[in-house]
Amino acid sequence: MAELVAARVPKRLLTVLVRNAELLKFLTVGAIAFVTTSVLFFGLKWTVLQGKPVTANVIAVLLATVLSYVLNREWAFTERGGRQPRHEAALFFVVAGVGLVINQLPLAVSRYALDLQTPHVSMLAENVADFISATLIGTLLATGFRWWAMRKFVFPHAVKPAAAEDETPIHQ
């Protein structure tokens, strides 16, 4: 299947896609997590967590983060490693936790600093403000942070074997 797609994509574009494959995979995982978060956020906000949008968003982001870890580890960053699995998972969830806080800030500002909630604004305006602040702005800011932190801390390039580094040339 990959060969069929590669044969139909112009060479110049194919080169760009291949060079940025890891980023494209990361963004695909992010898109899946985005849809998961959005569906869960609005589902919870409109049902069991009415009046508690930040709590609904935290739960939605946490569940999407678990999904994101599995997809990133098994697909997006398969070419990277260098850490013990438990250490890697711990770092992932620390980074995700910071991302979660970053994700919540725009919603908290929208709701509590700008007071964009009923009865101060219409239900439609509240939901549009929640979508823009939590789902768009929060996700964009958190995604930028996560991309940088995942590559820097969680999934670093694999370390070269020690034997290869210890080899010294013999001078004659």
Side-chain angles (χ1 to χ4, degrees):
M1 172 98 163
E3 290 86 18
L4 288 172
V5 172
R8 296 182 190 271
V9 174
K11 297 283 187 217
R12 196 175 233 171
L13 179 59
L14 185 60
T15 302
V16 171
L17 293 175
V18 169
R19 185 175 51 236
N20 295 298
E22 187 176 76
L23 175 60
L24 294 172
K25 288 179 187 179
F26 175 80
L27 292 174
T28 301
V29 169
I32 293 167
F34 175 82
V35 169
T36 302
T37 301
S38 298
V39 168
L40 290 173
F41 171 58
F42 284 103
L44 290 169
K45 179 183 173 251
W46 291 337
T47 60
V48 297
L49 292 174
Q50 286 182 352
K52 297 181 180 180
V54 173
T55 303
N57 201 30
V58 168
I59 292 169
V61 170
L62 285 173
L63 292 173
T65 298
V66 172
L67 175 63
S68 175
Y69 174 70
V70 172
L71 294 174
N72 275 306
R73 171 69 274 149
E74 299 301 322
W75 185 56
F77 293 107
T78 57
E79 302 298 319
R80 292 176 169 261
R83 299 204 186 278
Q84 295 294 324
R86 278 188 246 152
H87 187 224
E88 177 185 274
L91 284 172
F92 181 92
F93 287 103
V94 166
V95 167
V98 173
L100 176 68
V101 170
I102 292 169
N103 197 296
Q104 301 313 306
L105 291 175
L107 176 61
V109 168
S110 172
R111 276 297 181 113
Y112 306 119
L114 301 177
D115 221 9
L116 295 175
Q117 58 184 321
T118 57
H120 306 290
V121 297
S122 70
M123 182 62 75
L124 176 63
E126 176 185 291
N127 283 302
V128 168
D130 286 353
F131 178 77
I132 291 170
S133 62
T135 310
L136 296 180
I137 297 171
T139 301
L140 182 64
L141 292 173
T143 298
F145 166 75
R146 286 181 185 124
W147 169 247
W148 170 78
M150 293 296 172
R151 291 173 48 90
K152 179 81 172 169
F153 302 111
V154 181
F155 302 113
H157 284 292
V159 179
K160 294 180 183 178
E165 292 175 1
D166 291 340
E167 292 177 12
T168 55
I170 299 174
H171 297 283
Q172 296 184 3

